[in-house]
Amino acid sequence: MTSLPPNPALEPLEPLVGEWTIRAPAFGEEETAVTCEWLEGGAFLRIHSPSPPPFPSSVQLISRDDSSDTYTVLYYDSRGVSRVYQMTFADGLWKMWRNAPGFDQRFSGTISDDGRTIQASWAKSLDNETWEHDFDLIYTKVE
C-alpha cells in the first residue's frame, strides 16, 4: 500500500503532537494521560485519552477541508457519547464548539509561549443563549 503524504491543512496542529497530562482542578489533583499523534502519515490527528475515573476515556479524530480554516473533530468516549465539534487553532488559541439542541458547548485553550502548557476551559448552554462555566483543564506537555 502506498502511504499518504502529510495533510498540509493540518500542519498548524503540530504543537499539539506529543504526550500530555491533563488535570481538571474541579475534580481534584488526579491527572490523566493524553496522546496526540498523526494517523496515516499525517492525514489525520488523533487525540486519545485512556483515562481512569472521573475522566471518561476518549478519542478524537481531527481533519479539515482544505478550503476552510475550521477543523472538524469527531469525538467518542467510554460513556457512549458521540459528538461532532468545529475547531480553530491559531495564534496560541485553541477553540472547539458544538451547537446542538439542548446542549451547546465551547472550549477555549491558551497555549503558553513555550508550548508546554495549555490553560483551557469548557462552557455549556442549554438554550444557546445563557452560557455557564463548566470546568477548567490544564494540559502539560510530557514529551
Side-chain angles (χ1 to χ4, degrees):
M1 179 176 161
T2 305
S3 63
L4 296 170
N7 183 344
L10 300 185
E11 286 177 10
L13 302 181
E14 180 66 36
L16 293 175
V17 174
E19 300 291 327
W20 297 79
T21 60
I22 297 179
R23 185 170 59 85
F27 299 105
E29 295 301 312
E30 182 76 29
E31 289 185 344
T32 189
V34 175
T35 301
C36 298
E37 61 190 351
W38 297 117
L39 289 182
E40 298 296 328
F44 300 94
L45 182 68
R46 176 181 178 235
I47 300 177
H48 180 245
S49 179
S51 303
F55 304 102
S57 293
S58 64
V59 64
Q60 299 172 56
L61 297 178
I62 302 170
S63 195
R64 186 181 102 189
D65 186 307
D66 57 13
S67 69
S68 172
D69 290 333
T70 302
Y71 298 90
T72 298
V73 180
L74 303 177
Y75 173 93
Y76 184 72
D77 72 29
S78 57
R79 301 170 297 172
V81 172
S82 181
R83 297 191 173 135
V84 177
Y85 293 94
Q86 301 305 302
M87 183 183 108
T88 57
F89 190 86
D91 302 320
L93 191 58
W94 178 15
K95 292 188 174 192
M96 285 191 293
W97 63 93
R98 75 187 274 268
N99 298 318
F103 191 61
D104 300 322
Q105 293 177 286
R106 293 179 183 164
F107 168 92
S108 181
T110 302
I111 301 164
S112 64
D113 290 340
D114 66 3
R116 312 242 1 119
T117 305
I118 302 170
Q119 297 283 338
S121 65
W122 280 97
K124 62 184 178 181
S125 174
L126 303 179
D127 61 8
N128 200 20
E129 292 179 22
T130 307
W131 288 88
E132 67 181 80
H133 178 265
D134 198 2
F135 59 91
D136 295 320
L137 293 170
I138 301 168
Y139 291 73
T140 305
K141 198 161 200 178
V142 177
E143 58 176 74

